[in-house]
Amino acid sequence: MSKDTVAVRVDSDLRQRLDRLADAFGQTRSSIINDALRQYADHQEWQVNLIAERAESLEADKAVLISHEDVLATFDQRFADKEAG
């Protein structure tokens, strides 16, 4: 896989933290940053895709909508059951 260079400015505290992590894992600072960015991008893409899927479900009238009050009542019941159990 080809690599591109991207310049990012970080404060000295973050750079020191990245260096300590790189040392701890026996990796380079660049590999630590790449791993972090990959995880961030994966999570953000997952969220964007999930939102798009939910929007499509709504548009196709295939979504089941639950009121805010019903959600709160469900959580209240779960917490009550957990405290009683």
Side-chain angles (χ1 to χ4, degrees), residues 9 24 35 37 39 41 45 47 51 60-61 65 78:
R9 294 185 187 275
D35 288 345
L37 291 173
Q39 288 177 31
E45 286 174 345
Q47 282 188 325
I51 291 167
D61 277 338
L65 301 178
R78 284 186 183 179

Side-chain angles (χ1 to χ4, degrees), residues 74-85:
T74 299
F75 277 103
D76 287 344
Q77 186 60 53
R78 284 186 183 179
F79 288 126
D81 291 346
K82 188 172 184 173
E83 287 178 358

